[in-house]
Amino acid sequence: MKNVKDINFSEKKVIIRCDFNVPIENGKIIEDQRIEESLKTINYILEQKPGLLLIISHLGRPKGKNVPELSLEPIQRRLAELVQREVFLIKTLDELAKTREGNSEQIYLLENIRFWAEEEDADDDFARKITEGFDVYVSEAFSASHRDHSSISRVPEFVEEKCAGILFKNELDQFMKIKNPQNHPAVAIVGGAKIETKLPVIKNLEKNYEHILVGGIIANEALDQGLEFGEKVLLPTDFKPDEKSRLDIGPKTIDEFKEKIKEAKTIVWNGPLGKFEDEEYAIGTKEIIDAIVSSKATYKLAGGGESIEAIKKFSDFSKFDYVSMSGGAMLEFLAGKELPGISALN
Ligand code: ADP
Ligand code: 3PG
Ligand code: MG
């Protein structure tokens, strides 16, 4: 897989697939870290004076329809501020065809790629139309690389050169480190919801990890369904407020989990251990974050939308070696699946 350093962007017509899928309320961006994290790659390419720069992203799930609340307009404004250049929003493929006469001083941002139904169909004709006249594809969207969508897996097929962006490469490198941990014991903590996505992760982690500590809704479901795990997997043994309403892990479980975390050399965490948004049920998540932060592990990684929220609430990103921008993509990677967005760059 090539990265940006392997390509000369000067005079080239470049497409960057970003993941600007950020929370927006009433037209205001609530949290823009994914945009900020893409700037390194965008600026790196701009410095080389490309012939043309087009950025593509999705936002939300408009399902092939033009949903005004999911327009990239707020992102266009924020991006223009951050790169201090004009950013033009392109709303149709006809408009896109005309941009080929544009110049390198401007950035073109294609309207929410999921407004086109062809995107989620991984349509080749659509990919061909988008790439017409472009030379290079750069993916900065590791967090969307588990989607077999046109701009992720097809567009890179129709350009001469393709590579991973700086953030993409970094995410991949960090995930490689936790897939096969160098330092043992390796401890994974998996919580949150959606057992169907997290069960394959737990199963796959059992190969290379000494302990997998499971909490949150998925632990409750595993217990209810009587799921069986190997001895590396620890489920909660007590709950808050009680056995019936299992909204948080209890003090005994917290102690058991902490003991494993204390000895760990590698730690990966995804998914809150309880309903941490309610102060009353935040103790498990908070205590586990504290234990991770104060452990002597040489590598600590966390990822997942709500997990990141919990870190912001109870600790600090800087206390981790890496906090990932990817949720679903990270889980699929850790479950050992092949991601279309990674394969497309190879
Ligand atoms: P992430 O986005 O970090 O991967 P998930 O989306 O899987 O996490 O799940 C996070 C949600 O699960 C949180 O909103 C949290 O309130 C909820 N949750 C976790 N444990 C419990 C529980 N025991 N009871 C109710 N909600 C829970
Ligand atoms: C994410 O936020 O996890 C990515 O942008 C992918 O979004 P999606 O789950 O709507 O495909
Ligand atoms: Mg979530």
Side-chain angles (χ1 to χ4, degrees):
M1 184 188 291
K2 285 189 177 168
N3 65 61
V4 288
K5 304 271 174 335
D6 300 320
I7 291 182
N8 175 6
F9 293 96
S10 168
E11 304 287 309
K12 303 255 177 77
K13 301 199 171 185
V14 182
I15 295 177
I16 311 180
R17 174 51 160 107
C18 289
D19 183 353
F20 294 153
N21 189 24
V22 296
I24 295 181
E25 268 170 34
N26 303 319
K28 284 226 168 64
I29 297 173
I30 310 285
E31 203 273 323
D32 71 349
Q33 205 180 346
R34 277 182 169 171
I35 307 177
E36 298 239 4
E37 298 274 347
S38 306
L39 290 178
K40 266 193 209 148
T41 291
I42 296 171
N43 286 327
Y44 177 85
I45 292 171
L46 283 173
E47 276 162 24
Q48 291 195 16
K49 300 214 176 301
L52 194 62
L53 181 57
L54 172 72
I55 299 181
I56 299 179
S57 176
H58 71 281
L59 175 64
R61 296 177 177 169
K63 302 237 165 282
K65 297 210 171 61
N66 187 325
V67 178
E69 302 81 69
L70 294 175
S71 164
L72 294 194
E73 267 166 38
I75 287 162
Q76 170 198 15
R77 289 193 293 272
R78 184 76 188 115
L79 189 60
E81 273 169 30
L82 290 168
V83 293
Q84 301 199 322
R85 284 183 198 235
E86 271 188 285
V87 176
F88 290 98
L89 190 65
I90 298 186
K91 298 199 168 171
T92 65
L93 293 190
D94 284 343
E95 264 179 64
L96 177 62
K98 289 193 195 117
T99 63
R100 286 170 197 126
E101 292 128 41
N103 66 55
S104 64
E105 292 308 305
Q106 300 146 343
I107 294 178
Y108 295 92
L109 176 67
L110 188 63
E111 185 51 289
N112 190 343
I113 189 87
R114 290 188 184 168
F115 283 2
W116 285 271
E118 293 93 329
E119 164 68 355
E120 295 194 38
D121 294 339
D123 189 281
D124 273 341
D125 282 340
F126 181 60
R128 208 174 281 125
K129 270 185 212 150
I130 287 178
T131 50
E132 213 171 286
F134 283 90
D135 309 302
V136 190
Y137 172 88
V138 180
S139 180
E140 197 56 318
F142 187 96
S143 46
S145 62
H146 55 319
R147 304 295 180 214
D148 185 17
H149 292 172
S150 193
S151 67
I152 299 287
S153 58
R154 307 311 310 150
V155 164
E157 298 299 317
F158 297 99
V159 286
E160 238 161 68
E161 293 178 283
K162 55 190 177 179
C163 74
I166 297 165
L167 171 64
F168 187 112
K169 178 75 177 31
N170 196 24
E171 294 254 297
L172 184 57
D173 289 348
Q174 304 294 332
F175 294 146
M176 293 297 277
K177 284 189 202 166
I178 48 168
K179 206 171 178 186
N180 290 307
Q182 299 271 306
N183 297 314
H184 294 267
V187 173
I189 305 132
V190 189
K194 292 167 285 196
I195 188 137
E196 62 290 353
T197 48
K198 299 202 181 179
L199 204 52
V201 180
I202 295 169
K203 294 271 174 228
N204 205 46
L205 289 172
E206 278 188 271
K207 291 183 204 152
N208 295 321
Y209 279 64
E210 277 71 24
H211 305 289
I212 300 119
L213 317 176
V214 183
I217 299 173
I218 58 165
N220 301 346
E221 287 175 354
L223 290 166
D224 289 341
Q225 294 171 22
L227 298 181
E228 303 225 352
F229 297 96
E231 59 184 24
K232 289 177 168 182
V233 178
L234 297 192
L235 290 167
T237 48
D238 64 338
F239 299 90
K240 280 277 175 106
D242 50 45
E243 279 297 319
K244 228 170 115 245
S245 317
R246 299 177 293 200
L247 294 169
D248 196 5
I249 51 175
K252 198 163 145 269
T253 307
I254 294 175
D255 282 346
E256 284 161 3
F257 284 9
K258 272 180 157 177
E259 210 174 293
K260 304 293 183 210
I261 294 169
K262 210 170 132 196
E263 302 301 322
K265 290 285 186 298
T266 302
I267 302 176
V268 51
W269 171 50
N270 165 261
L273 286 304
K275 195 169 184 284
F276 76 97
E277 294 88 347
D278 287 358
E279 211 178 315
E280 235 176 305
Y281 308 115
I283 298 166
T285 304
K286 190 178 173 309
E287 292 265 330
I288 295 305
I289 293 177
D290 285 348
I292 298 172
V293 164
S294 51
S295 104
K296 295 206 169 54
T298 48
Y299 189 73
K300 305 170 186 179
L301 182 147
E306 271 78 25
S307 306
I308 289 181
E309 287 308 310
I311 296 173
K312 281 190 189 151
K313 212 163 163 182
F314 304 125
S315 183
D316 204 305
F317 281 11
S318 65
K319 304 269 167 58
F320 286 76
D321 292 282
Y322 195 65
V323 178
S324 169
M325 290 295 104
S326 306
M330 163 172 133
L331 293 174
E332 294 209 9
F333 187 81
L334 291 182
K337 293 191 188 148
E338 195 175 306
L339 306 193
I342 297 179
S343 310
L345 297 181
N346 283 328

